[in-house]
Amino acid sequence: MKMEHAGITVSDPAAFTDWYCQHLGFRVMRQMTTAPFTTFIADASGSVMLEIYRHAHIQLFDYPNQDPLLLHFAFEVGEEPIEAVAERLLAAGASVY
């Protein structure tokens, strides 16, 4: 058995999707253009996906104010030095919590 996807609700699925695709190399696999804007994005391997959506009746998780031990994603960066990756992502709007 292997993991196929994890799902998270976010305030702006389109912006989330765009940022992950532009800065982390994800690609859109499936996307709804109407509410709840469910979108599946795959990592560079194509084997792991995130399901992104926004259901109006669900309270958003307060990601910025939560301890990252509650929820986080970890990425391999390949040959690029981690310091360079961190600098690039911070310049693109990422945050360190």
Side-chain angles (χ1 to χ4, degrees), residues 5-97:
H5 80 271
I8 59 170
T9 187
V10 298
S11 61
D12 187 343
F16 184 102
T17 297
D18 290 346
W19 199 92
Y20 267 60
C21 290
Q22 182 177 356
H23 301 288
L24 300 178
F26 278 67
R27 67 183 188 277
V28 175
M29 304 304 286
R30 288 181 295 213
Q31 188 169 40
M32 292 175 58
T33 57
T34 58
F37 307 103
T38 303
T39 302
F40 287 85
I41 57 175
D43 69 352
S45 75
S47 63
V48 178
M49 292 190 289
L50 289 176
E51 177 186 10
I52 312 305
Y53 47 84
R54 176 65 180 115
H55 290 279
H57 67 281
I58 296 175
Q59 181 176 344
L60 290 172
F61 188 72
D62 186 13
Y63 298 108
N65 293 310
Q66 299 302 313
D67 189 307
L69 293 176
L70 290 173
L71 176 69
H72 67 274
F73 303 125
F75 297 93
E76 291 182 4
V77 297
E79 299 299 318
E80 188 177 4
I82 191 68
E83 295 82 7
V85 173
E87 185 176 312
R88 179 171 49 80
L89 294 177
L90 289 169
S95 300
V96 176
Y97 294 102

